[in-house]
Amino acid sequence: MLRWAHACRLPQGGRGPARPSSSRVPVAGRSGGGSGGGGADPRPLPLSYSLVDGEGSRPALVFLHGLFGCRNNFNSIAKTLAQRTGRKVLTVDARNHGDSPHSPDMSYEAMSRDLQGLLPELGLAPCVLIGHSMGGKTAMLLALQRPDLVERLIAVDISPTETASVSNFPSYMAAMRAVVIPDGVPRSRARKLADEQLSPVVQDLAVRQFLLTNLVEVDGRFLWRVNLDAMAQSLQEIMAFPPRQESYLGPALFLLGGNSQFVHPSHHPEIKRLFPHAQLQTVPHAGHWVHADRPQDFMAAIRGFLA
């Protein structure tokens, strides 16, 4: 049975303790967190990030990925936008993803708190905050809680409402937890085995390839780098949005995939209540992963909103 580890790229050398391959092992903890279970720690975690440099006179672009993602999802987009806008561009690994620490607390309040610590520390507040899916909900909450940190907001294919009814994430998570890979097999073989075991549930090849970016090798054993324990325990919370009364009065863009069902017209009143200056824009022929499906249109929409 696969276990869970931390890495954003496939490591060249081994990391972490060797463990028997036949047991279901909890997340190997790093500073700031443990495995699933235990009480929530109110302190922000030291998130892993990448910064593309640019001029400091205009607000930086800050990208937040979605569930199962990491900051590398925006690598090429970050570099291109830095070149085209001249701005600094920050990409961040959320807690329990990529190289960031693991924690049992996957609440949006905790993820917002992490950014409330990071952005001022890097001198990037206020910023243009761009979040996809789970990252979009984190971005919305941060804008509502701390509008002084957010010059403008872009929420990508997500709304401040319940999204469980259109999401396949619970089944994806169950399929990932069920994958079995023998120790010592070559990386190409391990990926093929995982792909074969995921395919009955995750039938979209592009989605499987996205999930498989989380498969990493440590000391000859294959692990998931995301904290599936914490995600499974917090799934209802991740699919929901914290109830809020205050509004964010800054500019906001809700950028939707034309082929996605994540943002329904019935969500529009709540968007307008919390974000009264929100614009809604649709990217044709894009699914939920707008930035992956139509990267040029995605970047054009961002640049248009900045103009």
Side-chain angles (χ1 to χ4, degrees):
M1 190 69 67
L2 284 182
R3 300 178 306 280
W4 296 267
H6 306 262
C8 203
R9 302 174 187 84
L10 291 175
Q12 298 301 311
R15 287 172 59 178
R19 299 186 184 271
S21 61
S22 59
S23 61
R24 184 187 290 270
V25 180
V27 177
R30 282 173 67 173
S31 59
S35 62
D41 187 337
R43 295 172 297 180
L45 296 186
L47 301 181
S48 183
Y49 62 87
S50 297
L51 180 62
V52 183
D53 205 9
E55 63 181 72
S57 61
R58 290 179 294 172
L61 309 182
V62 176
F63 283 90
L64 309 179
H65 62 77
L67 196 65
F68 303 117
C70 82
R71 68 185 190 273
N72 284 4
N73 299 155
F74 295 107
N75 269 357
S76 61
I77 285 172
K79 292 173 184 175
T80 301
L81 284 174
Q83 292 170 352
R84 293 181 181 175
T85 67
R87 300 178 189 234
K88 295 181 178 180
V89 183
L90 181 75
T91 56
V92 182
D93 284 336
R95 57 172 56 206
N96 296 317
H97 292 73
D99 280 331
S100 286
H102 284 190
S103 166
D105 189 355
M106 272 289 286
S107 66
Y108 286 111
E109 289 84 357
M111 290 188 275
S112 171
R113 196 161 54 239
D114 293 341
L115 291 164
Q116 290 176 41
L118 178 65
L119 294 175
E121 176 187 323
L122 296 178
L124 299 181
C127 69
V128 178
L129 195 55
I130 306 163
H132 170 249
S133 198
M134 179 189 78
K137 288 188 173 182
T138 302
M140 286 186 273
L141 181 61
L142 178 60
L144 293 166
Q145 291 179 321
R146 291 289 306 275
D148 57 305
L149 299 182
V150 183
E151 190 265 341
R152 62 187 58 210
L153 169 73
I154 302 177
V156 183
D157 207 54
I158 202 69
S159 67
T161 63
E162 171 73 43
T163 52
S165 62
V166 295
S167 169
N168 292 316
F169 292 147
S171 60
Y172 295 168
M173 202 172 297
M176 292 170 73
R177 289 166 69 92
V179 169
V180 177
I181 297 177
D183 292 345
V185 300
R187 187 175 300 165
S188 58
R189 176 63 178 158
R191 186 180 174 91
K192 186 172 187 298
L193 286 170
D195 182 67
E196 289 171 350
Q197 293 174 60
L198 290 175
S199 61
V201 175
V202 188
Q203 297 179 357
D204 188 309
L205 175 60
V207 176
R208 283 204 310 279
Q209 290 175 336
F210 169 66
L211 296 178
L212 287 169
T213 62
N214 288 291
L215 187 66
V216 296
E217 183 181 1
V218 177
D219 291 339
R221 295 182 171 90
F222 288 89
L223 311 95
W224 296 115
R225 69 181 177 198
V226 288
N227 187 346
L228 291 173
D229 287 340
M231 290 178 183
Q233 292 175 13
S234 304
L235 194 56
Q236 283 188 317
E237 197 169 10
I238 294 169
M239 294 296 105
F241 187 76
R244 308 300 300 184
Q245 294 305 316
E246 71 274 37
S247 297
Y248 171 71
L249 300 180
L253 173 65
F254 284 73
L255 192 58
L256 316 180
N259 296 339
S260 173
Q261 303 300 315
F262 268 72
V263 180
H264 190 269
S266 63
H267 301 174
H268 294 180
E270 184 68 355
I271 291 173
K272 285 294 188 179
R273 182 182 75 84
L274 293 175
F275 305 95
H277 300 298
Q279 307 171 32
L280 277 71
Q281 182 176 341
T282 298
V283 177
H285 312 298
H288 181 55
W289 284 274
V290 181
H291 52 287
D293 292 343
R294 308 292 292 186
Q296 296 302 322
D297 293 341
F298 176 72
M299 288 188 286
I302 291 173
R303 294 181 68 194
F305 184 58
L306 296 177

